[in-house]
Short mmCIF file of all heavy atoms in Angstrom, two decimals:
data_model
loop_
_atom_site.label_atom_id
_atom_site.label_comp_id
_atom_site.label_asym_id
_atom_site.label_seq_id
_atom_site.Cartn_x
_atom_site.Cartn_y
_atom_site.Cartn_z
N PRO A 16 -6.42 -11.96 5.94
CA PRO A 16 -7.65 -12.46 6.55
C PRO A 16 -7.47 -12.86 8.01
O PRO A 16 -8.44 -12.89 8.76
CB PRO A 16 -8.03 -13.67 5.70
CG PRO A 16 -7.08 -13.75 4.59
CD PRO A 16 -6.02 -12.73 4.78
N THR A 17 -6.23 -13.11 8.42
CA THR A 17 -5.99 -13.51 9.81
C THR A 17 -5.69 -12.33 10.73
O THR A 17 -5.59 -12.51 11.94
CB THR A 17 -4.83 -14.53 9.89
OG1 THR A 17 -3.66 -13.93 9.34
CG2 THR A 17 -5.18 -15.80 9.15
N THR A 18 -5.57 -11.14 10.18
CA THR A 18 -5.37 -9.95 11.00
C THR A 18 -6.58 -9.77 11.91
O THR A 18 -7.72 -9.84 11.45
CB THR A 18 -5.21 -8.70 10.11
OG1 THR A 18 -4.11 -8.89 9.23
CG2 THR A 18 -5.01 -7.45 10.94
N THR A 19 -6.33 -9.55 13.19
CA THR A 19 -7.46 -9.39 14.10
C THR A 19 -8.24 -8.13 13.75
O THR A 19 -7.70 -7.16 13.21
CB THR A 19 -7.02 -9.29 15.57
OG1 THR A 19 -6.27 -8.08 15.76
CG2 THR A 19 -6.20 -10.50 15.99
N ALA A 20 -9.52 -8.16 14.04
CA ALA A 20 -10.39 -7.02 13.76
C ALA A 20 -9.93 -5.78 14.52
O ALA A 20 -10.01 -4.67 14.00
CB ALA A 20 -11.84 -7.37 14.10
N ASP A 21 -9.41 -5.96 15.73
CA ASP A 21 -8.90 -4.81 16.50
C ASP A 21 -7.69 -4.17 15.81
O ASP A 21 -7.58 -2.95 15.76
CB ASP A 21 -8.53 -5.23 17.92
CG ASP A 21 -9.74 -5.34 18.83
OD1 ASP A 21 -10.71 -4.59 18.62
OD2 ASP A 21 -9.70 -6.17 19.75
N VAL A 22 -6.79 -4.99 15.29
CA VAL A 22 -5.62 -4.45 14.58
C VAL A 22 -6.08 -3.71 13.32
O VAL A 22 -5.58 -2.62 13.01
CB VAL A 22 -4.60 -5.56 14.25
CG1 VAL A 22 -3.54 -5.07 13.28
CG2 VAL A 22 -3.96 -6.09 15.53
N ALA A 23 -7.03 -4.27 12.60
CA ALA A 23 -7.57 -3.60 11.41
C ALA A 23 -8.18 -2.25 11.79
O ALA A 23 -7.95 -1.25 11.12
CB ALA A 23 -8.61 -4.49 10.72
N TRP A 24 -8.95 -2.24 12.87
CA TRP A 24 -9.58 -0.99 13.33
C TRP A 24 -8.51 0.05 13.66
O TRP A 24 -8.62 1.22 13.25
CB TRP A 24 -10.46 -1.28 14.55
CG TRP A 24 -10.97 -0.04 15.19
CD1 TRP A 24 -10.56 0.51 16.36
CD2 TRP A 24 -11.97 0.84 14.67
NE1 TRP A 24 -11.26 1.66 16.62
CE2 TRP A 24 -12.12 1.89 15.59
CE3 TRP A 24 -12.75 0.83 13.53
CZ2 TRP A 24 -13.02 2.92 15.40
CZ3 TRP A 24 -13.64 1.87 13.34
CH2 TRP A 24 -13.78 2.90 14.27
N ASN A 25 -7.49 -0.36 14.39
CA ASN A 25 -6.43 0.58 14.76
C ASN A 25 -5.65 1.06 13.54
O ASN A 25 -5.24 2.22 13.48
CB ASN A 25 -5.49 -0.04 15.80
CG ASN A 25 -6.15 -0.11 17.16
OD1 ASN A 25 -6.91 0.77 17.53
ND2 ASN A 25 -5.89 -1.17 17.89
N THR A 26 -5.48 0.21 12.54
CA THR A 26 -4.82 0.62 11.30
C THR A 26 -5.63 1.71 10.61
O THR A 26 -5.07 2.71 10.14
CB THR A 26 -4.65 -0.60 10.36
OG1 THR A 26 -3.84 -1.57 11.01
CG2 THR A 26 -4.01 -0.19 9.04
N MET A 27 -6.94 1.56 10.59
CA MET A 27 -7.80 2.58 10.00
C MET A 27 -7.69 3.89 10.76
O MET A 27 -7.54 4.96 10.16
CB MET A 27 -9.25 2.11 9.98
CG MET A 27 -9.55 1.08 8.95
SD MET A 27 -11.33 0.71 8.99
CE MET A 27 -11.33 -0.86 8.20
N ARG A 28 -7.79 3.81 12.07
CA ARG A 28 -7.73 5.02 12.90
C ARG A 28 -6.40 5.76 12.71
O ARG A 28 -6.38 6.98 12.54
CB ARG A 28 -7.89 4.66 14.37
CG ARG A 28 -9.32 4.45 14.79
CD ARG A 28 -9.49 4.28 16.31
NE ARG A 28 -8.66 5.16 17.10
CZ ARG A 28 -7.63 4.75 17.87
NH1 ARG A 28 -7.31 3.49 17.96
NH2 ARG A 28 -6.92 5.61 18.57
N LEU A 29 -5.30 5.02 12.76
CA LEU A 29 -3.98 5.65 12.66
C LEU A 29 -3.71 6.27 11.28
O LEU A 29 -2.94 7.21 11.18
CB LEU A 29 -2.89 4.63 12.98
CG LEU A 29 -2.85 4.14 14.43
CD1 LEU A 29 -1.85 3.00 14.59
CD2 LEU A 29 -2.50 5.29 15.37
N ASN A 30 -4.35 5.74 10.26
CA ASN A 30 -4.13 6.24 8.90
C ASN A 30 -5.25 7.14 8.38
O ASN A 30 -5.18 7.61 7.25
CB ASN A 30 -3.93 5.06 7.94
CG ASN A 30 -2.61 4.37 8.19
OD1 ASN A 30 -1.55 4.89 7.88
ND2 ASN A 30 -2.67 3.20 8.81
#
Side-chain angles (χ1 to χ4, degrees):
T17 59
T18 302
T19 66
D21 281 329
V22 168
W24 172 253
N25 286 324
T26 300
M27 286 184 200
R28 279 188 40 247
L29 292 173
N30 290 288

